[in-house]
Amino acid sequence: DGGITQSPKYLFRKEGQNVTLSCEQNLNHDAMYWYRQDPGQGLRLIYYSQIVNDFQKGDIAEGYSVSREKKESFPLTVTSAQKNPTAFYLCASSENSRQSTDTQYFGPGTRLTVL
Amino acid sequence: GQQVMQIPQYQHVQEGEDFTTYCNSSTTLSNIQWYKQRPGGHPVFLIQLVKSGEVKKQKRLTFQFGEAKKNSSLHITATQTTDVGTYFCAGRGSSNTGKLIFGQGTTLQVKP
């Protein structure tokens, strides 16, 4: 059963703590992405990776970090430097981001609440 | 940088009425994609338009790509309660950097 998994669905953390959100895909996709979604707003790109061992900053990378050591995994760390981390985080993957017709498949998301 | 604007932000309709959301880009796009996110869910790919002036239909949904490849629209005929959700357009610029630029989305509410 192919797809993208994110865990956990809900996550609570105390202010000042780093937290890592997991994202795994078994679609054999080269590219992976992290988006942040706030209520009533669209999707804002945090980081993306076009290929394993490589990643680029998106539009709102400050306070976040990622790694891409394996093709199927793209974890996102929300650091204490992120001023307003409470949000819905969506991971996505796509077959080949260098193709103009490439489409993205999204995971179920993780809702992070920082108390 | 490239921006994709989407209007309206919210739309409430009576079941059976039509609905349209519009998407405008500040630059020419190589293609445009549409996604739907149900309440509490995640975005799901609906369709992609590539050619100038292209029109595609999926049952009651009609998607259009402008002649200049800078705007697009999604029209739903005779809405149903199952159409509820947020519809996003997403464009990729001609330079093809690998990034999709998402619009802010239009949230559709349908009153039965």
Side-chain angles (χ1 to χ4, degrees):
Chain A
D1 192 22
I4 304 175
T5 56
Q6 292 184 245
S7 60
K9 189 169 183 178
Y10 298 95
L11 190 56
F12 297 88
R13 278 294 181 269
K14 291 183 180 179
E15 195 172 342
Q17 289 182 334
N18 290 357
V19 60
T20 297
L21 281 57
S22 78
C23 178
E24 304 277 331
Q25 54 97 1
N26 60 6
L27 300 167
N28 200 34
H29 284 172
D30 281 335
M32 296 186 75
Y33 313 80
W34 274 105
Y35 292 91
R36 171 181 172 140
Q37 187 174 33
D38 294 285
Q41 295 195 29
L43 306 174
R44 293 187 289 169
L45 184 64
I46 304 172
Y47 268 98
Y48 66 106
S49 168
Q50 293 182 305
I51 201 164
V52 68
N53 290 323
D54 185 49
F55 51 83
Q56 287 84 38
K57 291 182 179 180
D59 302 314
I60 55 165
E62 186 175 348
Y64 300 97
S65 65
V66 293
S67 63
R68 186 85 189 278
E69 296 174 2
K70 297 188 292 183
K71 186 175 185 177
E72 57 270 22
S73 179
F74 192 39
L76 173 75
T77 298
V78 185
T79 74
S80 56
Q82 167 51 232
K83 290 184 171 46
N84 188 17
T86 295
F88 187 47
Y89 290 88
L90 285 159
C91 178
S93 72
S94 69
E95 193 169 342
N96 182 350
S97 61
R98 292 183 177 87
Q99 288 183 351
S100 63
T101 55
D102 193 49
T103 59
Q104 295 185 9
Y105 296 81
F106 285 82
T110 292
R111 195 166 298 277
L112 173 65
T113 302
V114 175
L115 306 168
Chain B
Q2 182 184 351
Q3 288 189 323
V4 174
M5 307 299 291
Q6 196 173 348
I7 57 169
Q9 188 173 0
Y10 299 98
Q11 185 84 57
H12 295 242
V13 300
Q14 198 72 39
E15 189 172 19
E17 291 181 340
D18 292 356
F19 159 77
T20 305
T21 173
Y22 301 91
C23 190
N24 291 287
S25 169
S26 56
T27 58
T28 302
L29 301 171
S30 63
N31 59 70
I32 193 140
Q33 301 175 9
W34 285 90
Y35 292 77
K36 178 183 178 180
Q37 183 177 21
R38 294 183 186 275
H42 58 275
V44 174
F45 173 76
L46 292 177
I47 208 161
Q48 179 167 230
L49 304 169
V50 179
K51 298 176 186 174
S52 169
E54 189 170 12
V55 177
K56 286 188 176 180
K57 292 192 175 185
Q58 287 181 349
K59 297 183 180 177
R60 293 177 295 103
L61 278 61
T62 301
F63 303 84
Q64 292 187 322
F65 200 11
E67 293 290 341
K69 299 184 78 172
K70 293 179 76 172
N71 57 73
S72 181
S73 65
L74 158 59
H75 179 82
I76 302 178
T77 303
T79 54
Q80 299 175 359
T81 54
T82 53
D83 295 325
V84 163
T86 301
Y87 294 85
F88 292 98
C89 63
R92 181 175 276 114
S94 302
S95 63
N96 190 26
T97 62
K99 293 194 300 180
L100 270 181
I101 308 298
F102 280 84
Q104 301 93 324
T106 296
T107 299
L108 173 63
Q109 299 274 16
V110 179
K111 296 178 237 179

